[in-house]
Amino acid sequence: MIKVAINGYGNLGRGVERAVAASPDMECVVVFTRRDPGTLKTLGTPVAHVDEMEKWVGKIDVCLNCGGSATDLGTQGPATAKLFNTVDSFDNHGKIPEYFAVMDEAAREGGHTAIISTGWDPGLFSMLRVLGDAVLPNGSTTTFWGPGVSQGHSDAIRRIAGVVDARQYTVPVEETVAAVQEGADVELTPRTMHRRVAYVVAQEGSDLAEIERQIVEMPNYFAPYDTEVHFISAEQMATEHAGLPHGGQVIHTGQTSEGITQKINFSLGLESNPEFTGAALTATARACAKMAERGYVGAATVFDVTLSDLSPRTPEQLRKSYL
């Protein structure tokens, strides 16, 4: 039985706890939190403060770090990798090489395995991008996200003065998706690939026009896209936008000979982004435990993980039922 610790109990941590409960070869033995442990209600997993982590050394097989990439994992990741085998979902694509180096040093110092940047993107989508390039090297890969809630963009809106709550949906531009599916030569820019739709609850008396201006002109987040802003009530937000759906697709097209075009398409449609991401982290935790048992030391990514390591099935079962 693989003994799992969850570090951080937000939406992702709760998703991990559900996924581990559904895995017959795994069990959650502790949730680490920065909050008062007595205030946390889990699905049954005991809770300990993060300051007590060292007391759990030798009692768990892998620790799943469920903090955010922006402010948490940069310190949470290397600190825990010195104590345990770890898995995380660091998703700042541009900083992954830098984060890998930090985690590799920390994991080697502790003699542990640390698998970083798991989930669905980075994660499953990363694997499909590599697979497409390997099978059809004379080709190109395009990734579309959504339709679904972008938690980072939603948070950026909530930081604007006068905003009480916000949900931002990332929506692929259908015409561009269709063109890529057909292998057509199409301009791929942020504006041609995705649009942004924001639902905002504003404080009474706020300048709605000014809030909208700050949203649509926000550098990096919204300025490069066509953005719609809709002001709604708190009641509408609670009833119509309570969920966290997401998804997307990776499309790889390439030629195997002149005039012969092949296409690989991988897509996800998620009713709950954190629950699915939690399930992906849990499968990776299984792989992490297996790799650690074989003596792997240092950082790793999904490119270093085998399908057999991710699966709870035996190699014999896989060959019989899935090959």
Side-chain angles (χ1 to χ4, degrees), residues 75-106:
T75 54
Q76 186 185 76
T80 52
K82 294 175 183 178
L83 302 175
F84 313 110
N85 302 312
T86 65
V87 170
D88 67 55
S89 60
F90 185 84
D91 64 357
N92 188 330
H93 292 262
K95 293 186 176 181
I96 286 177
E98 175 185 337
Y99 181 67
F100 180 93
V102 171
M103 289 297 289
D104 190 55
E105 181 179 357

Side-chain angles (χ1 to χ4, degrees), residues 160-163 200 202 206-215 231:
I160 296 174
V163 173
V200 180
S206 297
D207 186 339
L208 303 188
E210 173 60 16
I211 292 174
E212 181 172 357
R213 184 195 68 78
Q214 290 191 48
I215 293 172
F231 291 97

